[in-house]
Structures are given as C-alpha cells and as structure tokens.
Amino acid sequence: MPDYSFALRALRKAHLHRERRLYPPNLADFASNDYLGLGGRKDLLQKAFELLQGFNTHAPKASMLVNGYHPLHHELESYLCQLLGFEACVLVGSGFLGNVALIGALVRPSDLLLMDAHYHASGQFIAKKSPNTIFFKHNDSKDLQAKLEKYKPKGRVLIAIEGVYSMDGHIAPLEIFKCAKEHNAYLILDEAHSLGTIGTHLKGVLEHHNLKPTEKTIVLGTFSKAYGSYGAFIGASGEIVDFLCNRAKSIIYTTSLSVLDTALSLVNIEEVYQDPSPFVALLEQMRGCVASFGWHTKSNILTLPFVGIAHLLETQEKLLKEGFICGAIRPPTVQQPLLRVGLNVQATNTLRLLKSLCGCLQELYLPKRPPVVG
C-alpha cells in the first residue's frame, strides 16, 4: 500500500516542509497578523470574560440557524453595521469559511466572477472549481476593464478583490472600485488585512478611498488580524445576508462562532474605535521608520523577496537569534520566497524594536539583494 513518506521527503529536500513550532514568548513579534497588539492585552481578555458572566451559556451549542445564535452574536453584528455602514451582517467561523460562503453561494451558473490573481487562497480554492471564473492581473484596472468588456454573462457580474493583499501589502486601487460601479457589478471585498490598519479612522480600504458601501458592496472582515480575536463577518445588504443564511453551506452546516471569541472581538473593536488616533499615529510612525531604511509600504505589510528558499530560512533563523520573528513565506503560498514583516504594535518599545529589526535586516538582506520598493 502506498504511503506518504516519499512526498514528505521531497518536501524536505526542497525546503518546503512545514511544521508546527513553539517559539519563545519573549520574541518581538513581526510575523503574526496581530497588527494592533491586542492579542496580548490581558485587560481586554478579562473584560470579555466578565461580559460572558451575564449569560446562562458561554458555548455556541449549535448552528446559528438552529439554536446557536447568542445575544452576543447579535450585539456584535449590530455594532459592526453601525460602525461600517452596512444594512446587515452575519458572523462566520473564519475568513476561510467566509470566502467559501461568498464564492460558493453567490456565484450562480449564469454569473461571471472576475477575481484578482492575488486573491486569497480560500477564495481561489472555490473559484477555480467554477467554469465561470476569470482571473484578472493583480491590481490592474485596465485588465479588469478589458475582461468586463469581453465577457458578457446572462446573469450577474461579481468582482472579488482584497483591500490589502496579505502576501505583498498592496492596497486595492480606487480605479477598480470605479470599474465595479461603472459596470454595476457586485464587489466582494476581503478586508481581512485592511480593517484596523488603513483609513483615517482605521475602517479599511473603503475609508482609505473615501468611499461608502453600496447595496452591491459585500465586505468580508476578520477578527483574527488587527482585532486580536478569532472569527469573521460578512457585511452587505439585507438581501445578500438573508440569501447567504439560506444558501451558504459554511454558515448553515457549522456550529456558530465561539461565544468567548465573539465577546473578545466586541471588546477589542470597541477599544480601537472609541479613540483610534493613538493607533493611527503609531502605525504612521512605524511606516516612517521602515521608509528611513529604504523600504516603503502604505499598509502594515512589508515583504522582502529572496532568490532562494534556503537563504530565506537561514535569514529567519538568524533573526530569531537576535530576538525577532518574521514570516518566511514559501511556495506554493507565493511564487517567489519572501520574508514577510508585519508592522505590529508591540507591548512596549514598538519603534525601538522595529528600528533594531530593520538594522538587522540591512545586514542580513541587503548584501544579498537590494531593497525592493513596494
């Protein structure tokens, strides 16, 4: 009987084998998506725990559409609608499940889905199974426009993009939003890495471009990045949310979101938006710090490409010894191996630690390859 040992040996030989690893807790964290540093705030965790004490149950118990819809689920959904300007909202178990819900349920046989070539794997996973999916060049509004003019479906047109792309830090350009409006298309907008990181008040790419959601705007947001918790939500028109609750398998056939994570998300998001100005100022200072070393990003993601995987892993290990953890991202997640630096707020001394990290990177990275402006 064939086994999997050969495939595992091949992965190890190509430096593509992955494993779970417990890192020392004292490392400066520039690898995770905890952009605002809320994941370590014990005061907010305690506040969430106290919030739960007022309810008879702290478990979701069932599907949201059976008996798993908790008052805290409703409260968080209502708060997000008020905060972001959506008519309706529904919580989902994760960003991956959210994309499965959106792509799997909304795209019907007569529709056309146009998806950015760098869209998250959770969306591509479903989209590639559909014959009516067309990919357009990353962040290229001209290519999108050309494909919209070429393909004329009988049904609806849907465009899927990210606000900030997780593996390069690029922000979706305004021209793509204009293109969607011009063609009266539904816009699926994955804001996992843009909510809480960009915009005048950290409300994401729509605020960044001074836009408001329309009846055809469908936003997928997550609580596991800037908001320091777990789970996700979909914000849209009442009709879209109602349709998803009746057709999206990853909403119907799964237990509703953890109530503890829901409480923590609510507490953390309220913490951010009661006064986002300190976070906004610090994030701008962090981007300025990176720019002083010759690198540039308008988001909270800086990526440094590497020619070889072995050199990437070697650099990551050297940074660990210096007290820093950054993400070593390898194929097939990306075509070219890269070091992913999340501009994350640390518990203390954020700017000093970031400056020290950049100094280490100049010694380890620049001699091998000149900096790339993102």
Side-chain angles (χ1 to χ4, degrees), residues 52-339:
L52 282 177
Q53 302 309 303
F55 299 95
N56 293 330
T57 179
H58 56 269
K61 301 187 300 183
S63 162
M64 186 172 285
L65 301 169
V66 179
N67 188 35
Y69 193 45
H70 192 277
L72 284 178
H73 293 145
H74 178 72
E75 184 175 351
L76 180 55
E77 289 171 350
S78 298
Y79 179 74
L80 289 167
C81 286
Q82 180 272 325
L83 179 72
L84 301 174
F86 287 99
E87 183 181 2
C89 176
V90 60
L91 303 184
V92 289
S94 68
F96 196 107
L97 292 175
N99 264 316
V100 170
L102 291 173
I103 308 302
L106 294 183
V107 185
R108 314 308 289 171
S110 62
D111 296 341
L112 172 67
L113 172 64
L114 288 156
M115 178 174 281
D116 189 286
H118 286 192
Y119 197 84
H120 194 267
S122 58
Q124 292 202 29
F125 167 71
I126 299 296
K128 287 180 178 179
K129 299 178 184 294
S130 171
N132 48 348
T133 299
I134 302 294
F135 288 90
F136 63 92
K137 295 176 184 178
H138 174 53
N139 266 0
D140 190 332
S141 60
K142 291 182 179 179
D143 189 50
L144 173 60
Q145 179 71 31
K147 287 180 167 59
L148 283 166
E149 292 174 357
K150 179 179 180 180
Y151 298 97
K152 301 294 184 181
K154 294 180 180 179
R156 293 155 293 202
V157 175
L158 300 97
I159 300 171
I161 63 172
E162 295 185 40
V164 168
Y165 287 84
S166 60
M167 289 298 117
D168 54 36
H170 297 161
I171 298 174
L174 177 60
E175 289 73 20
I176 288 181
F177 294 86
K178 291 180 177 178
C179 198
K181 183 178 180 181
E182 178 187 342
H183 289 268
N184 198 31
Y186 286 91
L187 184 67
I188 296 174
L189 177 57
D190 187 334
E191 290 236 59
H193 296 271
S194 46
L195 283 170
T197 65
I198 63 172
T200 308
H201 303 95
L202 303 182
K203 293 183 182 180
V205 73
L206 290 174
E207 185 181 61
H208 175 79
H209 289 309
N210 197 29
L211 299 173
K212 300 290 185 183
T214 71
E215 62 179 10
K216 292 199 170 183
T217 305
I218 305 161
V219 162
L220 171 63
T222 60
F223 307 126
S224 53
K225 277 63 175 188
Y227 298 145
S229 182
Y230 189 74
F233 70 91
I234 296 168
S237 68
E239 179 181 85
I240 291 292
V241 169
D242 190 19
F243 181 81
L244 289 170
C245 288
N246 283 276
R247 283 291 182 267
K249 292 179 174 59
S250 57
I251 294 175
I252 300 170
Y253 301 116
T254 187
T255 301
S256 59
L257 182 61
S258 156
V259 182
L260 176 58
D261 289 318
T262 302
L264 185 59
S265 298
L266 183 60
V267 166
N268 286 357
I269 293 172
E270 288 177 340
E271 173 74 9
V272 172
Y273 293 108
Q274 67 178 356
D275 182 13
S277 57
F279 291 110
V280 172
L282 183 52
L283 295 180
E284 284 301 316
Q285 288 176 307
M286 294 173 74
R287 292 171 190 131
C289 177
V290 167
S292 70
F293 284 84
W295 297 301
H296 301 275
T297 179
K298 295 180 180 180
S299 67
N300 272 49
I301 300 169
L302 174 70
T303 57
L304 304 177
F306 279 70
V307 174
I309 298 174
H311 178 215
L312 169 65
L313 297 177
E314 176 188 346
T315 300
Q316 185 190 45
E317 289 300 319
K318 288 181 178 179
L319 288 173
L320 288 171
K321 292 179 181 178
E322 295 295 329
F324 304 102
I325 178 169
C326 298
I329 313 299
R330 295 167 284 171
T333 305
V334 289
Q335 290 185 340
Q336 181 178 7
L338 58 87
L339 190 75

